[in-house]
Amino acid sequence: MTWVVLGGEGLAALFALSPGVESGRWVLFGLASLMIQWVLLLALGGLYGLRPWLARLRPLHIACLAITFLLMSTWITWGAVWLTLGHDWGMSTAEWREAGLRFTCATLTVGLLGLAAFQNHWRARQLAVRVAHSELEALQARIRPHFLFNTLNTGAALVHQRPEEAERLLLDLSDLFRAALAGPREISLADELSLVRRYLEIEGLRFGQRLRVDWQLPDVLPALVVPALSIQPLVENAIRHGVEPAAGGGDVSVEVTETGGFMQITVGNALPATPVRPTAGHQVGLSSVRARIQAMTQGRGSVETQAKDGRYTAVLRLPMP
């Protein structure tokens, strides 16, 4: 609303400063401000009233409809001014019509410029989402063979000694790969945490007592939507860089809390005393997850990492609906 009002005042200033205005610029600025604000507020009010129906339309169609509302609001406002001041302003009917036509052309020009800017913004945003998805697919292509070979080796070792655990491992692996091969999409937070549990069960069979998992979840998970496989890469990084290099293993914590209108998912792990590789390795997958979170939440969500007091944490924040 603030930007709309300021934009309208800027347009009114352009009218008042345009060539051909010899006197009464402040009067013209005041009248133009009044008309432009009425046009903008009427158009916004109409769009707001139709928001349940507009939610089913594509963004570009909504933008075109906004231009239609702008033109309709212009004609309604101009008609009201004509009926109110037409006899007292000292202008002929032809002059009123000519002024109304100019005002309509100005509205259409501003609307088309806004539509062009919106199209550029929308295309850039879609391109950014495609790039993020491509990075995610490339990342998964690098990680899957490493994880798949380790899991199959673990299953081969268990198939004769503990066949029930080998069967559970293969079922968990099937669920994980089904989610990965389904492509980028959005799922509920409960389903994403279920995939994380399956992943940790598989890694638990491989690491045994070396992997210790601490779950801190609320009694009832919120009905929140997250990108598929957005938490699992954070847990995988925690295991690869916090548990695998340490001779005695390590712990991984997964905590879900609500604070300040945001749902916060924290994945943490203890840093090895003598890391085999630099802790920068934690960045594997973080950029893709961060891009998908920001694209889904229109920039309101975030993924932040921190290494402090011998512990590494990755915090995923999502706005509550």
Short mmCIF file of all heavy atoms in Angstrom, two decimals, residues 11 15 36 70-71 74 99-113:
data_model
loop_
_atom_site.label_atom_id
_atom_site.label_comp_id
_atom_site.label_asym_id
_atom_site.label_seq_id
_atom_site.Cartn_x
_atom_site.Cartn_y
_atom_site.Cartn_z
N LEU A 11 3.47 10.05 -9.89
CA LEU A 11 2.79 10.27 -11.16
C LEU A 11 2.07 11.61 -11.16
O LEU A 11 2.08 12.34 -12.17
CB LEU A 11 1.80 9.13 -11.41
CG LEU A 11 1.07 9.14 -12.77
CD1 LEU A 11 2.07 9.09 -13.91
CD2 LEU A 11 0.11 7.96 -12.86
N PHE A 15 2.53 14.96 -13.70
CA PHE A 15 1.47 15.73 -14.35
C PHE A 15 1.63 17.22 -14.06
O PHE A 15 1.49 18.06 -14.96
CB PHE A 15 0.09 15.25 -13.85
CG PHE A 15 -0.44 14.06 -14.59
CD1 PHE A 15 -0.67 12.87 -13.92
CD2 PHE A 15 -0.71 14.12 -15.95
CE1 PHE A 15 -1.16 11.77 -14.59
CE2 PHE A 15 -1.19 13.02 -16.63
CZ PHE A 15 -1.42 11.84 -15.96
N ILE A 36 -5.71 10.10 -8.87
CA ILE A 36 -4.86 8.91 -8.99
C ILE A 36 -5.02 7.99 -7.79
O ILE A 36 -5.10 6.76 -7.94
CB ILE A 36 -3.39 9.34 -9.16
CG1 ILE A 36 -3.19 9.98 -10.54
CG2 ILE A 36 -2.45 8.15 -8.99
CD1 ILE A 36 -1.84 10.62 -10.73
N LEU A 70 -7.56 -1.20 -13.39
CA LEU A 70 -7.06 0.17 -13.42
C LEU A 70 -7.85 1.03 -14.40
O LEU A 70 -8.24 2.17 -14.08
CB LEU A 70 -5.58 0.18 -13.80
CG LEU A 70 -4.56 -0.04 -12.69
CD1 LEU A 70 -3.15 -0.10 -13.28
CD2 LEU A 70 -4.64 1.07 -11.64
N LEU A 71 -8.11 0.50 -15.59
CA LEU A 71 -8.88 1.26 -16.59
C LEU A 71 -10.31 1.50 -16.12
O LEU A 71 -10.84 2.61 -16.26
CB LEU A 71 -8.87 0.51 -17.92
CG LEU A 71 -7.52 0.44 -18.65
CD1 LEU A 71 -7.62 -0.44 -19.88
CD2 LEU A 71 -7.04 1.83 -19.02
N THR A 74 -10.31 4.11 -13.54
CA THR A 74 -10.08 5.43 -14.15
C THR A 74 -11.37 6.01 -14.71
O THR A 74 -11.69 7.18 -14.49
CB THR A 74 -9.03 5.30 -15.27
OG1 THR A 74 -7.81 4.83 -14.71
CG2 THR A 74 -8.79 6.64 -15.94
N ALA A 99 -9.56 15.42 -22.08
CA ALA A 99 -8.78 15.23 -20.86
C ALA A 99 -8.95 13.80 -20.32
O ALA A 99 -7.99 13.18 -19.85
CB ALA A 99 -9.20 16.25 -19.81
N GLY A 100 -10.19 13.30 -20.40
CA GLY A 100 -10.42 11.92 -19.95
C GLY A 100 -9.67 10.92 -20.79
O GLY A 100 -9.13 9.92 -20.27
N LEU A 101 -9.60 11.16 -22.12
CA LEU A 101 -8.85 10.27 -22.99
C LEU A 101 -7.36 10.29 -22.64
O LEU A 101 -6.70 9.25 -22.62
CB LEU A 101 -9.07 10.68 -24.45
CG LEU A 101 -8.35 9.84 -25.51
CD1 LEU A 101 -8.81 8.38 -25.42
CD2 LEU A 101 -8.61 10.40 -26.90
N ARG A 102 -6.82 11.50 -22.38
CA ARG A 102 -5.41 11.60 -22.00
C ARG A 102 -5.14 10.86 -20.69
O ARG A 102 -4.14 10.16 -20.54
CB ARG A 102 -5.01 13.06 -21.86
CG ARG A 102 -4.96 13.82 -23.20
CD ARG A 102 -4.56 15.27 -22.96
NE ARG A 102 -4.47 16.00 -24.22
CZ ARG A 102 -4.18 17.29 -24.30
NH1 ARG A 102 -3.96 18.00 -23.18
NH2 ARG A 102 -4.11 17.89 -25.49
N PHE A 103 -6.07 11.02 -19.73
CA PHE A 103 -5.90 10.36 -18.44
C PHE A 103 -5.96 8.84 -18.61
O PHE A 103 -5.20 8.09 -17.99
CB PHE A 103 -6.99 10.82 -17.47
CG PHE A 103 -6.62 10.66 -16.03
CD1 PHE A 103 -5.70 11.50 -15.42
CD2 PHE A 103 -7.18 9.65 -15.27
CE1 PHE A 103 -5.34 11.34 -14.10
CE2 PHE A 103 -6.83 9.48 -13.95
CZ PHE A 103 -5.91 10.33 -13.35
N THR A 104 -6.85 8.36 -19.49
CA THR A 104 -6.93 6.92 -19.76
C THR A 104 -5.66 6.41 -20.41
O THR A 104 -5.15 5.34 -20.06
CB THR A 104 -8.14 6.63 -20.67
OG1 THR A 104 -9.34 7.06 -20.02
CG2 THR A 104 -8.24 5.15 -20.97
N CYS A 105 -5.12 7.19 -21.37
CA CYS A 105 -3.87 6.79 -22.02
C CYS A 105 -2.72 6.74 -21.03
O CYS A 105 -1.87 5.83 -21.07
CB CYS A 105 -3.54 7.75 -23.17
SG CYS A 105 -4.67 7.63 -24.56
N ALA A 106 -2.68 7.70 -20.10
CA ALA A 106 -1.63 7.69 -19.08
C ALA A 106 -1.75 6.46 -18.18
O ALA A 106 -0.76 5.80 -17.85
CB ALA A 106 -1.69 8.97 -18.26
N THR A 107 -2.99 6.12 -17.80
CA THR A 107 -3.21 4.94 -16.96
C THR A 107 -2.79 3.67 -17.69
O THR A 107 -2.14 2.80 -17.12
CB THR A 107 -4.69 4.84 -16.56
OG1 THR A 107 -5.08 6.02 -15.86
CG2 THR A 107 -4.94 3.63 -15.69
N LEU A 108 -3.17 3.58 -18.96
CA LEU A 108 -2.81 2.40 -19.74
C LEU A 108 -1.30 2.29 -19.90
O LEU A 108 -0.73 1.19 -19.81
CB LEU A 108 -3.50 2.45 -21.11
CG LEU A 108 -3.28 1.25 -22.03
CD1 LEU A 108 -3.81 -0.02 -21.37
CD2 LEU A 108 -3.95 1.48 -23.38
N THR A 109 -0.64 3.41 -20.13
CA THR A 109 0.82 3.40 -20.28
C THR A 109 1.50 2.92 -19.00
O THR A 109 2.40 2.06 -19.03
CB THR A 109 1.33 4.80 -20.65
OG1 THR A 109 0.71 5.21 -21.88
CG2 THR A 109 2.84 4.80 -20.82
N VAL A 110 1.07 3.48 -17.87
CA VAL A 110 1.65 3.07 -16.59
C VAL A 110 1.38 1.59 -16.33
O VAL A 110 2.25 0.85 -15.87
CB VAL A 110 1.10 3.94 -15.45
CG1 VAL A 110 1.55 3.41 -14.09
CG2 VAL A 110 1.57 5.39 -15.62
N GLY A 111 0.15 1.14 -16.64
CA GLY A 111 -0.19 -0.26 -16.43
C GLY A 111 0.64 -1.19 -17.29
O GLY A 111 1.12 -2.24 -16.83
N LEU A 112 0.86 -0.84 -18.56
CA LEU A 112 1.66 -1.68 -19.45
C LEU A 112 3.12 -1.70 -19.02
O LEU A 112 3.78 -2.74 -19.10
CB LEU A 112 1.53 -1.18 -20.89
CG LEU A 112 0.16 -1.39 -21.54
CD1 LEU A 112 0.13 -0.77 -22.93
CD2 LEU A 112 -0.19 -2.88 -21.61
N LEU A 113 3.64 -0.55 -18.55
CA LEU A 113 5.01 -0.54 -18.03
C LEU A 113 5.13 -1.44 -16.80
O LEU A 113 6.12 -2.17 -16.64
CB LEU A 113 5.42 0.89 -17.69
CG LEU A 113 5.66 1.83 -18.88
CD1 LEU A 113 5.93 3.25 -18.39
CD2 LEU A 113 6.84 1.33 -19.72
#
